[in-house]
Amino acid sequence: MTDTQKRIEPFGVEIDLLTGAMKDFDNYKKTMASTMIPYYADTDAIRDLVESQGNPIHYEVFEKTIPEAAGHIRVCISKLLPGKVGGEFFMTKGHYHTVLETAESYLCLAGEGFLLMKTSEGRCLWEPFRPGRLVYCPPSWAHRSINTGSVPLVSLCHYPGDAGHNYGDIVEEGFPKRCFDRGGKPAFE
Ligand code: PAN
Ligand code: ZN
């Protein structure tokens, strides 16, 4: 990226703090249920969901265009729909940042759930999400959102412009813990 491409004008953006709706977003990324088949423990259950519901949206990301370069801060809204796959709560794919030494802050605006985090050495921790709770994911921890509620889990995320996303290692490694509904309560197993 050239210096000219890294230079942008100051801007503001309206975010509805109750719903997480971002006005005038530039980029929208939707992740469909079919792409989640490798991620859930119960492969038959996610395949059934995809077929019976016509491959619905699983989660969405809304953002303004910000250069993917050091010095910038990328800002986005992450919206994960509620539901379960064979008793496992809906989750995002999860990733490491390509530049491992980059952190991320998640401010939960709506819904409830967890940010599940792991290191490549196998440490695994989770922090609850509820509206108004900020979760800090330090450098080198992979992270995945989990929705344990009945409404969309919406978070406002900030992370370094040059962080990048590494999904491949999580497809291979997975996370050491999964989150299941056990008698109406989330349980990490
Ligand atoms: C988030 C995530 C968002 C979607 O903005 O990108 O929740 O999850 P996946 O990227 O794992 O599909 C973030 O952590 N950005 O770095
Ligand atoms: Zn991230």
Side-chain angles (χ1 to χ4, degrees):
M1 189 174 287
T2 65
D3 281 354
T4 313
Q5 287 167 327
K6 286 181 203 164
R7 215 164 286 138
I8 60 172
E9 297 288 303
F11 68 89
V13 59
E14 308 287 336
I15 294 170
D16 183 321
L17 294 181
L18 290 179
T19 64
M22 182 188 275
K23 247 194 208 169
D24 302 328
F25 56 86
D26 297 319
N27 308 313
Y28 168 67
K29 183 178 151 199
K30 60 183 172 186
T31 297
M32 312 308 287
S34 58
T35 67
M36 298 303 294
I37 289 171
Y39 293 89
Y40 287 100
D42 189 336
T43 308
D44 290 341
I46 181 72
R47 282 188 198 283
D48 285 351
L49 182 151
V50 170
E51 276 182 28
S52 64
Q53 296 182 27
N55 193 18
I57 290 175
H58 213 63
Y59 59 94
E60 302 170 286
V61 173
F62 304 83
E63 63 173 14
K64 296 296 287 181
T65 299
I66 292 173
E68 297 182 26
H72 282 283
I73 298 172
R74 291 185 70 185
V75 180
C76 70
I77 290 286
S78 167
K79 179 177 179 184
L80 170 60
L81 297 179
K84 281 171 271 184
V85 174
E88 190 175 359
F89 288 109
F90 276 14
M91 60 190 181
T92 58
K93 292 176 177 175
H95 56 264
Y96 290 99
H97 288 162
T98 312
V99 177
L100 261 182
E101 290 306 310
T102 53
E104 182 155 353
S105 110
Y106 276 69
L107 175 62
C108 179
L109 299 180
E112 59 185 292
F114 294 90
L115 189 67
L116 179 65
M117 293 166 277
K118 66 158 270 190
T119 65
S120 55
E121 293 85 32
R123 292 194 66 210
C124 186
L125 295 169
W126 48 94
E127 281 291 331
F129 276 140
R130 52 182 169 267
R133 191 156 199 273
L134 184 147
V135 175
Y136 182 71
C137 177
S140 83
W141 288 73
H143 41 285
R144 151 181 291 168
S145 298
I146 299 172
N147 186 343
T148 58
S150 53
V151 298
L153 173 66
V154 182
S155 311
L156 172 61
C157 308
H158 291 87
Y159 59 101
D162 61 340
H165 296 100
N166 166 4
Y167 293 98
D169 285 350
I170 291 300
V171 174
E172 301 244 316
E173 299 169 6
F175 280 72
K177 298 281 186 186
R178 295 176 174 279
C179 188
F180 293 94
D181 183 344
R182 298 294 184 225
K185 292 204 173 131
F188 285 89
E189 299 170 2

